[in-house]
Amino acid sequence: RGTGANETTVLTWEVRDSLGFPVTLANKVTVRFSILGGPGGGEYLLPNSVDSDSKGRVSTRLNSGITAGVVQVYASTRGDTVQSGPTKITITTGLPDQAHFSMTASKVNLPGGTGLPNGDNQKTSFNILAGDRFGNPAQAGTAIYFTTTGGVVQPTATTGSSGTATAELSTGNPRPAGGIATVTARTVGDSGAVITASLPIVFSGATRILAPTSIFVVPDSGSTSISYQVQDQNGNPLSGGTTIKASVGGVGSGGLKLEQDASVTLPDTRDTNFTNFFVKVVKGARGGASGVVSLRIEVTGPNNSTGALEFVEIQGIVLKTGTSVPGPGGPNLNPTADKMEFVGASRTSIIVNDGANQDKSKTTVTFLVKDSVGNPLINLINPSLGKVYVTFNVFPSDGITGGEALTIAADSTNEFSQASTTLLAGTKSGIFRVVASTFVPGKGLIQAEGQIIIKSGSPHVAHFGAGAATFNFPGLDILSDAVKDQIVVAIGDKFGNPVESGTRVYFNTSHGFVEPEAATDGNGFLRVSLIAALPKPTGANVTHPSGAGWGVVRAFTFADSSDQLKDSVNILWSGDIVLVKTGGPASYTIGNGGSAGPWTFTVLDRLVHPLSKGTSISVSAPGGSVSGNANITLPDELTTGAGITSFSISLQDSDPATANVPPLIGDLDVTVTHPVYGTKVLTLASGTIQ
């Protein structure tokens, strides 16, 4: 009732006598109507009783209430001694109502923000529950429409009998501003009213750990609390399942324990309270280990962009018993530099600076200066005395430079006794050593080096080319996976460096089979096989511009900009041996020391193309010496010509000083041996040599 749809239905019965005939008007009866059972939403019958008409028929109207369900109606007469069977009527629900329209998501935080290699196609599903204004499920088949401000959402869904509908969102472009996309579900209710519900979904980005830069101090038998944040670049929490673990190490870590947020697994949440954490470092017992410690915060989860683990280390000191002013190593409050070590780099491999990936073309390299007992050189009594002046140099391992540079040539160590510089890639790939040095009075020069790999850039159109091991492929007249040609592709970056090993290239061919894809080796090369299979490039339907017998193999790859790079190689499909004599006598008689000829012949395939590389052609006769094109092995040739497809020979007495007694009788034969199609022999002439 009140939905605007049909609210009533007319029910009609026919009263019959014992023989099955409708009762007449003279024998009319009063029939009463009753509701046996229903949803109890105010449904009723009108009228409740009526006399049968001239055809023995009676009718009543069932009016719906405000509750969906099944109603059973029956008719009776003669004091209920005569009854109909129950008639079942379904009261369906109304149109959706804003107060009864709700939306939930299976996940509210997806690792789909910028900076993630697998940030596309992360999914969440939305469940819609739609009811009418009386709280019944909305009509089955009600259409729900979805829009989103980020990624891609399924456009429509329809409700089932329970009023529910489901749609799916996949992360992708566009990335929402602030990392939060709004998904809105819409439908139409009574009188055309627009019914809506919205949910924010976090497209969380790359992991970011914000930790204190100052040194923390743990008193003997005391504690200290350290606050830190784990979030993405927009300050949103990371996706559900991310684990955050804290641990301590170093000479002073013995006897320490961690409390509070030492091990956390994030739920699926949008709540920014799940970006703030603190850990309590506690030294419960008096005495024991003291000195420099490192608090390591490790984050593991799908938001990590550089591998399975992101971490930061916070430096601290555990005081010795009775020490009110901390010093590294305890009593030594004024340490001196003794050694240096490579701590690490923000990227252990970078790419050449091709102008397209500036961030990937640089890395920050960090070194640590230590005292004689291996602690970071930190002087808390007089911090300036703990500063060490460090110089930096870069050396290419192969001696080839491409304009590599360091942003800082020298610097003093910071409060963590660390010094850093940034290496900028040039135009050459290779392994480069960044060397840090400092001079210590009384000890001399101390150094450490870190190795950085500069990889080649993305494929470049000017350095992407396809070729073939042989351009004349003997696959025209055979079907065999043993008959193959090698298609060769070489790829370089903008500066001519071989692209990174594993760069994938994709192939298709106009004829035969070709392996669909392959990856480059360390020299930027790859090879795939073209196989003698159907279709073959013969007949009138040949699409290649060079005509019958020609095919083309195409190669494709992609640059970082997603631009497609492509090249192709034309392949001549040659076939079986066609050996034809074109001139010369049918017989010969050669006197002592004499000669005969010339004879001419052609060696082709059936499409009048040269035979493939390695085909051997030899001409012989008993007692004769053949001159001209007598013994030839064909190269990888694509065009017809003398010595390739057309040949001329003459025959001489091979021993002019001695007469052949009796004369040598035999055939002048051409023998052609093909590496795929076997051997064929053509007799040019028969004769004698005296």
Side-chain angles (χ1 to χ4, degrees), residues 633-655:
T633 299
L634 294 183
D636 184 32
E637 184 59 58
L638 304 177
T639 58
T640 59
I644 300 297
T645 56
S646 59
F647 305 89
S648 176
I649 60 98
S650 296
L651 182 61
Q652 296 86 29
D653 181 4
S654 61
D655 187 8

Side-chain angles (χ1 to χ4, degrees), residues 131 136 274:
N136 304 297
F274 285 93

